Amino acid sequence: MAIEVELDLLERSIRQLQIEWDKFFGGIEKKPPNEMKTRVEALVRKYSLAEIRNNAARFRYQGLQARYSTMSELWSKRLRAFEEGRPMGVHGARALAQVAAPAPAAAAASPSAAAAAAAAAAAREVRVKDPAADSGAVRELYERFVAARRETGEPANVRFDSFEKLIAQQASRILSQKGAAAVDFRLETKDGKVSLKAKAVR
């Protein structure tokens, strides 16, 4: 199988694994997606020690590897928090209720639809309380932003330090001007362009 095809498979697998983790943390699935995680890790390891002669493919693999490593660390932290009964941030069940709590009537009529809506909202948003301390959240938002731009065909060579500075500036401004406790960032794609939207959380 050509390496480009396998990298496409790896990218899709990482994206699907993220969705499955979001379902678990949102309460839709009862068990964490450990089997899928094992399969994705095998795909990541396959080229970790191999020589990739194609520069573009090697660069893409390194980006996917870094993305998976960052996301895997975040999932592990959230899983530990889940098992210990601590708040888990934007992907936790408690935060899900705050981010996208359905109306009581709607929840009673369709609990599965309400849970799916909450999970979808959590998947779109990343919460930042302190730009300096929430480096993991900023890194996750960056990985999503780069992946979204790559999918739309936009240049994906965005420097993390520049992105981090932008998020810090926006979050600090909203926190001070709006008197907010945190800022929820989400990605929006319109007319083939990816943009960041920020919302104050009181």
Side-chain angles (χ1 to χ4, degrees), residues 3-198:
I3 186 171
E4 290 83 2
V5 176
E6 292 198 333
L7 292 179
D8 287 343
L9 174 61
L10 175 58
E11 187 167 6
R12 289 195 303 271
S13 299
I14 292 174
R15 191 181 307 121
Q16 183 60 40
L17 181 58
Q18 180 180 348
I19 292 172
E20 295 303 316
W21 275 112
D22 287 339
K23 288 181 180 179
F24 169 72
F25 290 127
I28 298 174
E29 297 291 344
K30 300 301 181 183
K31 296 181 179 180
N34 291 325
E35 291 184 6
M36 181 179 291
K37 181 174 182 287
T38 299
R39 292 197 299 269
V40 174
E41 286 179 348
L43 288 173
V44 173
R45 289 196 302 267
K46 182 173 182 179
Y47 286 101
S48 61
L49 300 177
E51 180 183 0
I52 303 177
R53 297 182 179 181
N54 184 290
N55 291 334
R58 182 170 64 252
F59 180 79
R60 184 184 178 192
Y61 168 74
Q62 290 171 346
L64 290 171
Q65 184 184 44
R67 177 185 175 190
Y68 178 77
S69 177
T70 300
M71 296 172 72
S72 181
E73 182 178 352
L74 289 171
W75 293 328
S76 296
K77 289 180 179 178
R78 288 178 183 136
L79 183 59
R80 285 196 298 270
F82 178 84
E83 293 172 342
E84 295 170 5
R86 294 185 284 107
M88 296 175 292
V90 71
H91 290 280
R94 297 180 181 86
L96 282 172
Q98 298 173 0
V99 172
S110 180
S112 59
R124 290 193 303 268
E125 297 182 339
V126 173
R127 180 162 296 180
V128 176
K129 294 182 179 179
D130 181 350
D134 293 345
S135 58
V138 176
R139 170 66 70 172
E140 180 181 0
L141 185 62
Y142 168 77
E143 296 291 350
R144 293 187 185 185
F145 180 75
V146 171
R149 286 177 67 94
R150 185 177 291 116
E151 290 175 3
T152 59
E154 293 186 271
N157 56 338
V158 180
R159 290 168 54 97
F160 174 72
D161 54 353
S162 300
F163 182 88
E164 186 179 36
K165 183 178 179 180
L166 174 64
I167 295 300
Q169 290 174 344
Q170 290 187 1
S172 298
R173 176 177 56 81
I174 293 174
L175 290 171
S176 60
Q177 293 182 359
K178 304 291 185 180
V183 180
D184 278 350
F185 289 91
R186 72 178 188 276
L187 299 179
E188 286 190 357
T189 302
K190 185 177 181 181
D191 298 328
K193 301 292 183 181
V194 180
S195 62
L196 274 171
K197 301 294 183 181

